């Protein structure tokens, strides 16, 4: 069994977290108040889905220019893992072993789509298969440059589909090159009892794994 998603991170501009919370609430999600992280640089709010996966809505407490240049706080803010990420979009995700349930919302992550260039497709397909511990399945429509994995979760009634796709046009290729070769293109959420997945496109996030 492959490792399921643990959580996905959405970064918003400093001071704009509540606006992002309101957008998700307008879409029918229950957003739980969070707090500041231990480093004091970021704060969050959480959306816990039915299958235990959660969405972390996060912002930096202050922009870099609000810290005294050269201070430890300024250096920590400048060198933060997410400091170079473009704001107002999906920036990161984590794989984990979900063993419990957290049914605070009748919704779950249905699918995550990653985009890469055609020349890097086989490389990332191989690396993802190694990370996930399972081989990719071919695209349902049989087209080259597309594959997917079903990430089973013991806490979920269904599974999460992770898609890897090659760029299909110049716009997608330019974006992929801007995020160093691979990025989170789209997240889809499905509500319990619904056959339709609501899509949240991003096309701004660079993803890395070790």
């Amino acid at each position: 069994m492959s490792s399921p998603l643990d959580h996905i991170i959405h970064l918003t501009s400093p001071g704009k977290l509540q606006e992002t919370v309101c957008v998700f609430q307008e879409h029918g999600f229950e957003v739980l108040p969070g707090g500041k992280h231990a480093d004091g640089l970021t704060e969050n709010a959480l959306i816990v889905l039915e299958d235990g996966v959660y969405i972390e809505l996060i912002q930096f407490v202050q922009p870099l220019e609000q810290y005294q240049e050269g201070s430890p706080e300024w250096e920590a803010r400048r060198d933060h893992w997410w400091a170079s990420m473009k704001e107002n979009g999906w920036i990161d995700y984590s794989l984990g072993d979900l063993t419990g349930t957290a049914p605070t919302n009748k919704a779950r992550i249905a699918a995550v789509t990653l985009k890469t260039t055609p020349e890097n497709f086989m490389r990332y397909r191989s690396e993802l298969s190694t990370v996930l511990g399972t081989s990719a399945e071919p695209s349902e429509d049989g087209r080259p440059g597309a594959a997917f994995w079903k990430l089973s979760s013991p806490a979920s009634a269904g599974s999460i589909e992770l898609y890897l796709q090659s760029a299909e046009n110049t716009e997608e290729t330019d974006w992929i090159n801007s995020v160093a070769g691979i990025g989170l293109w789209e997240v889809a959420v499905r509500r319990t009892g619904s056959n339709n997945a609501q899509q949240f496109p991003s096309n701004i996030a660079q993803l890395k794994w070790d």
Side-chain angles (χ1 to χ4, degrees), residues 152-171:
S152 300
S153 170
S156 174
S159 60
I160 300 166
E161 295 180 346
L162 175 63
Y163 291 89
L164 177 66
Q165 299 176 354
S166 296
E168 299 182 87
N169 52 53
T170 302
E171 180 184 1

Side-chain angles (χ1 to χ4, degrees), residues 1 3 13 23 28 39 67 86 94 113 142 174-175 184 197 205-206 209:
M1 178 179 294
S3 299
S13 303
V23 169
D39 61 9
Y67 296 91
K86 187 174 180 181
S94 176
T113 300
D174 290 344
W175 167 72
L184 195 162
Q206 179 184 355
W209 51 84

Side-chain angles (χ1 to χ4, degrees), residues 3-155:
S3 299
L5 280 172
D6 183 68
H7 66 282
I8 298 176
I9 301 173
H10 182 284
L11 178 67
T12 192
S13 303
K16 300 293 185 179
L17 179 61
Q18 188 55 44
E19 292 181 15
T20 302
V21 167
C22 290
V23 169
F24 277 86
Q25 288 174 331
E26 289 169 2
H27 281 91
F29 291 98
E30 179 184 354
V31 184
L32 306 177
K36 287 186 180 180
H37 289 107
D39 61 9
L41 298 175
T42 55
E43 55 188 349
N44 66 5
L46 304 174
I47 302 170
V48 184
L49 305 180
E50 188 178 39
D51 58 0
V53 177
Y54 68 94
I55 297 172
E56 183 177 13
L57 307 178
I58 196 167
Q59 71 171 6
F60 283 103
V61 176
Q62 297 185 92
L64 178 62
E65 57 268 21
Q66 294 298 312
Y67 296 91
Q68 182 178 351
E69 186 171 354
S71 66
E73 294 81 7
W74 181 87
E75 292 181 351
R77 173 67 171 83
R78 180 198 60 187
D79 298 334
H80 195 282
W81 171 251
W82 298 319
S84 62
M85 300 291 188
K86 187 174 180 181
E87 296 166 347
N88 302 313
W90 309 101
I91 61 165
D92 210 346
Y93 78 115
S94 176
L95 297 172
D97 180 18
L98 301 180
T99 57
T101 59
T104 61
N105 195 354
K106 298 299 182 182
R108 66 180 181 86
I109 297 292
V112 174
T113 300
L114 309 179
K115 289 275 188 177
T116 188
T117 56
E119 55 267 30
N120 283 327
F121 174 78
M122 292 305 298
R123 169 196 164 191
Y124 285 119
R125 175 175 172 162
S126 176
E127 289 186 4
L128 279 166
S129 293
T130 299
V131 170
L132 297 171
T134 186
S135 298
E137 299 182 36
S139 171
E140 294 178 351
D141 59 11
R143 67 185 177 92
F148 74 96
W149 297 258
K150 287 188 177 180
L151 309 181
S152 300
S153 170

Side-chain angles (χ1 to χ4, degrees), residues 182-200:
I182 188 169
L184 195 162
W185 183 260
E186 189 174 74
V187 176
V189 175
R190 177 173 287 115
R191 301 185 190 285
T192 299
S194 172
N195 293 323
N196 297 319
Q198 184 174 9
Q199 296 176 330
F200 293 86

